[in-house]
Amino acid sequence: IGGFGAFFLIRELIKINVSSITYDLALLKLSSLLIKSDGRIDPEEVQYVREFFIKNFGIQRANFLFKEIKKNNTPSTVDENCKILFRTLNHSQFYSVIQFLYALSLSDGTISKPEDEFIKIVSVNLGFTNENLRAIRNQFVSSEHSRSESNDELRKHLNVLGLKKGASKEDIKISYRNLAKEFHPDKLSGMSEGIIKLAEEKFQIINDSYEYLNKNYV
């Protein structure tokens, strides 16, 4: 960070007292901003967040966070909350944050364009490349494709691995190894049960696609 940027970062840290803002509160704030990003508040998304936080942090902690989020002293921008996540999580745990945001946006049945753009902004703040983000996104949008193109199983499974028709067997093997290295749930030690469970589910999708392609791809 350059001198000019460092000045503003220090000013923001003093203003919002980042050390007192926890990871779970920053994640809840990002959830709130994501829900509002498309100009409407979907009850399914609100319910998804509520159930997720109660299940993973307990009802007492969750209710405390729901009250805290309404106070004016909590960070209000994507950048501020991403700074908190950057300080409190390690790089491998950033993947689980993006997975959670995609799961939240899809909880009402579809990922809107504003929600898609919002998650992209978060990913940039957390240091993701377009390729990294696409690898996570494919774990979610492939299910949308399968509903509209149910007869194209091959395309769906290639998409999960970030590949297109014409990819070689070696491409499939390399892509799977890279994704397995990035998304293995063992990297999420210390994260909440729900975050780990979501990562396990998405990792299983990667495994299932790899197995399908090994058996059916010529």
Side-chain angles (χ1 to χ4, degrees), residues 17-29 57 61 64-65 68 75 81 84-85 88:
N17 190 13
V18 162
S19 63
S20 68
I21 306 297
T22 54
Y23 143 75
D24 47 8
L25 185 57
L27 185 62
L28 179 57
K29 186 63 179 184
F57 301 106
R61 177 64 180 172
F64 169 78
L65 294 171
E68 284 294 303
N81 285 282
I84 296 167
L85 296 181
T88 56

Side-chain angles (χ1 to χ4, degrees), residues 67-117:
K67 290 178 182 178
E68 284 294 303
I69 208 71
K70 297 177 181 178
K71 296 181 179 179
N72 293 328
N73 61 343
T74 57
S76 59
T77 69
V78 174
D79 290 354
E80 289 173 322
N81 285 282
C82 285
K83 287 174 186 175
I84 296 167
L85 296 181
F86 212 95
R87 287 168 59 91
T88 56
L89 301 176
N90 62 52
H91 178 73
S92 62
Q93 293 171 330
F94 294 160
Y95 286 90
S96 64
V97 171
I98 302 299
Q99 286 178 321
F100 167 73
L101 294 178
Y102 273 124
L104 167 58
S105 65
L106 195 56
S107 63
D108 64 348
T110 185
I111 300 174
S112 69
K113 186 174 181 180
E115 289 173 334
D116 221 3
E117 289 299 316

Side-chain angles (χ1 to χ4, degrees), residues 65-183:
L65 294 171
F66 297 147
K67 290 178 182 178
E68 284 294 303
I69 208 71
K70 297 177 181 178
K71 296 181 179 179
N72 293 328
N73 61 343
T74 57
S76 59
T77 69
V78 174
D79 290 354
E80 289 173 322
N81 285 282
C82 285
K83 287 174 186 175
I84 296 167
L85 296 181
F86 212 95
R87 287 168 59 91
T88 56
L89 301 176
N90 62 52
H91 178 73
S92 62
Q93 293 171 330
F94 294 160
Y95 286 90
S96 64
V97 171
I98 302 299
Q99 286 178 321
F100 167 73
L101 294 178
Y102 273 124
L104 167 58
S105 65
L106 195 56
S107 63
D108 64 348
T110 185
I111 300 174
S112 69
K113 186 174 181 180
E115 289 173 334
D116 221 3
E117 289 299 316
F118 179 93
I119 297 173
K120 184 175 182 180
I121 292 171
V122 173
S123 73
V124 169
N125 273 273
L126 296 179
F128 283 76
T129 65
N130 287 335
E131 184 178 355
N132 293 148
L133 180 63
R134 187 163 55 249
I136 302 174
R137 190 178 186 277
N138 286 343
Q139 299 167 20
F140 294 87
V141 297
S142 60
S143 61
E144 294 180 326
H145 289 164
S146 64
R147 286 194 295 270
S148 60
E149 304 170 9
S150 58
N151 62 337
D152 197 352
E153 283 292 303
L154 182 62
R155 179 178 176 179
K156 182 184 76 171
H157 291 295
L158 284 170
N159 186 61
V160 169
L161 297 188
L163 300 170
K164 296 181 180 180
K165 286 185 177 180
S168 67
K169 283 280 191 178
E170 186 63 21
D171 291 334
I172 292 171
K173 185 182 296 185
I174 292 173
S175 179
Y176 171 74
R177 286 177 178 172
N178 289 337
L179 290 173
K181 188 184 301 182
E182 293 288 357
F183 296 111

Side-chain angles (χ1 to χ4, degrees), residues 180-191:
K181 188 184 301 182
E182 293 288 357
F183 296 111
H184 201 287
D186 287 352
K187 287 189 169 189
L188 300 180
S189 176
M191 298 290 282

